[in-house]
Amino acid sequence: MNFSIVNILFLSIFIGFIADNSEVDYLQIIPGTVEKVEMIYLPGGTFTMGSPKSEKNHFGDEGPQHEIEIAPFWIGKYEITWDIYELFIAREIDSKKPTEVLGDEVSIEVDAVSGATQPYTDMSFGMGIDGYPAICMTQLSAVKFCEWLSAMTGNFYRLPTEAEWEFACRAGTKTAYSFGDDPADLDLYAWYEGNSKGAYQKVGKKKPNPWGLFDMHGNVSEWTLDQYIPTVYNKRKRKTVSNPRVIPKKTYPRAVRGGAWTDQPSRLRSASRRPSSKQWKKRDPQIPKSLWWHTDAPFVGFRIVRPLNTPTVEEQKTYWN
Amino acid sequence: MKFKQNNLLSRRNFVKSTTLATTGILSATIPVAAMANVNGDKKLKLALVGCGGRGTGAIVQALQADENTELVAMADAFQDRVEKSLKAIQEHFDGVKKIKVKPKNLFSGFDAYKKAIDMADVVILTTPPGFRPYHFEYAIQNGKHVFMEKPVATDPVGVRKVLDVARMAKEKKLNVVVGLQRHYQKKYIDILERVNDGQIGKITGGQVYWNSRGVWVRARESKQTEMEYQMRNWYYFNWLCGDHILEQHIHNIDVANWFIGDYPAKAQGMGGRQVRNGKDHGEIFDHHFVEFTYNTGAVISSQCRHQPGCMSRVDESFQGTKGSANMRYGELIDLDGNAIHKYRSGKSTKSSKPSSSVANPLNEPNPYQVEHDKLFASIRNGGVISDAENGAKSTLTAIMGRMATYSGKEITWEQALNSNLQLMPENIDWNSNPPTMPDSKGLYSIPTPGITTF
């Protein structure tokens, strides 16, 4: 995560290519700051989503397995950290947005993007800020972060769908984890209940998956765009589905992936799905409860994606509400 | 030191008995015949005084704590707040419980609290803390059980009033719960029991923290009078809020008092406003650091900061003669760093189906709900919970810290307790000026160490 100033300047030259949708990894600089989001290019393809009944700790909602076709996209190499997320909470850099943003995919006014409220208490629970993953945000808050970052940069960002997330997590593998089936190897790749010492850890400290993505298993579980429907895979049996997206009709439950520092190894499997819940705001002492914070979900964070083929302006809005 | 012994012991005993009350042991010892304003199975009427987000949350918890309750009246300085709150309560109970408050029982204005309290058996007091002593006094004078949020005053004059009224509440056998909810949180109760058992020896020092980004700001709107503006943006005015060392950090300072079993003998410290110093930030500091010294010689370092982009920590740690305790992790270690105990919440992930709950250190009963469950159980069983005296003394501890950081002087407990500092006016209406007024540039006088008196 530590790039020298020279590196940042050097790499930012390449951002110029992004407007042409060059199919390479890049660094998204956040205007007016030294913060950046590293984006990894995934050329898309087909994969088998879900897990077989024979997989240890398989849950009913992970089957039946089915074929999915995924269009090319970029995905964050790391979970979004507090360093970056705090810029969105503070919204003090909005005025530093360059008059000509580098991307041309999005044209929205940054001051039209809703801002998250300040949390009443310390939402990092003392587990660390610099280089640590942001947590406790609602899905709405994560979605609005994407809209804000899009407005600031001109590039279209959003959360991944469940299918995109699992495609990226598996990175071409069919095993329970992207490194194989043996949870004994988890220590090399992930933070979970067994090694987290009761707190999340800095992003990018374990080994990446085969496509260079860090912490897809563990550390913090990650928001997706989709409504959580346990039986949704039934409808996809025996056909190849392209880019499925389960547009939410209700606030709860929505799908969270990857498992967290609080979890047993089985919850970190590539196919494992978790529903969000109203209980995640249990200890918010206010009514109405915050739209922006889950007081009781110190295990949930997110990473962002950017599709190669930019949706229309109208479609874009549907990803941000 | 010897002559202080009695005083020390009585304070210590007092704090310990509070622990008993919160764990429900004390309640069993009160004979039912002696009850006042009780109530085996009658429908309890509730009134909410202070209809902000926290008040609305508290009344919902009260209504959930006991089936046989009814919200009968609501009061706030502002009518729009009352209406918004009622709507949120109704939405919360949609399809579960009917919430009907007659329009004539929705009161607004500075004396609205009296009308609402008159109608109730149990009142929820959740206005900005400056008003609390007066609202508490009226409620107890009129024989009501009380849940009130912390802090319970913003100045020593108010603290003394709450102490007087707390005695009256005890005499009348009225239940008073104060929203220092760590007293109702399993992790704290578990660790305190072990500390009292001597597992880390005698506490000699500690650190308490509320370092965070800060809270909301409500910008001035055109057509607002100065009084209306300050009442809306109340966090930044001391007569209403008391500064964040009191309004938020009281939670952690109170834990130090609770664990040590005493209140500090003196305080000295420093503070200022470095980052949060705009026109809409009133007169309060954005950081304080205070050293509280107890009669045993134990020293608690207290730090609170409202500055974005800095290290965040809301926590308490204590060092004893045999080891130390940390509250965030809920763990005790010995002097060699070996684990003595780690608090574990009840739930775990070993479920056979997908579940939203995970084993994490925060997964325990909601203390904001537990405090109401205990209050209503005590009212029903003829118990008496008496949180007000500790609430007032922990309020005074934080005020003592503020007096120290504002003045730059050392402040003793007696100086704070006997101080004539009065920020909250006794009479107030929409036509009066608030006790602190802006200068011609719209700025307020900021406390200056070395110059400001206490």
Side-chain angles (χ1 to χ4, degrees), chain B residues 35-39 42 44 120-122 143-145 172 174 379:
Chain B
M35 302 181 310
N37 184 9
V38 228
N39 314 289
K42 85 165 195 182
L44 292 172
D121 303 306
V122 184
K144 316 298 184 184
H145 298 286
K172 292 189 170 192
L174 294 169
I379 292 170

Side-chain angles (χ1 to χ4, degrees), chain A residues 59 61 86 90 118-120 122 124-127 228 262-264 274-275 277 280 282-283 285-287 298-299, chain B residues 53-54 56-57 150 210 213-214 247-248 309 312-314 328 349 352 354-356 358-360 362 364 366-368:
Chain A
F59 283 140
D61 66 346
E86 288 220 329
Q118 303 261 359
Y120 179 74
D122 159 33
S124 70
F125 296 96
M127 294 189 284
Y228 170 81
T262 45
D263 279 321
Q264 311 266 334
R274 167 168 284 141
S277 152
W280 293 6
K282 190 170 74 173
R283 282 187 294 161
Q286 311 238 353
I287 300 274
F299 46 80
Chain B
R54 178 62 201 122
T56 310
K150 43 41 68 174
W210 194 303
R213 307 179 47 83
E247 208 282 333
Q248 277 189 324
S312 291
R313 186 168 180 182
V314 179
R328 180 168 88 73
T349 45
S352 59
S355 155
S356 305
V358 292
N360 78 68
L362 303 167
E364 54 181 12
N366 176 5
Y368 295 104

Side-chain angles (χ1 to χ4, degrees), chain B residues 146-161:
Chain B
V146 170
F147 169 84
M148 59 178 171
E149 261 303 341
K150 43 41 68 174
V152 299
T154 56
D155 56 37
V157 171
V159 167
R160 288 200 297 274
K161 183 183 277 296

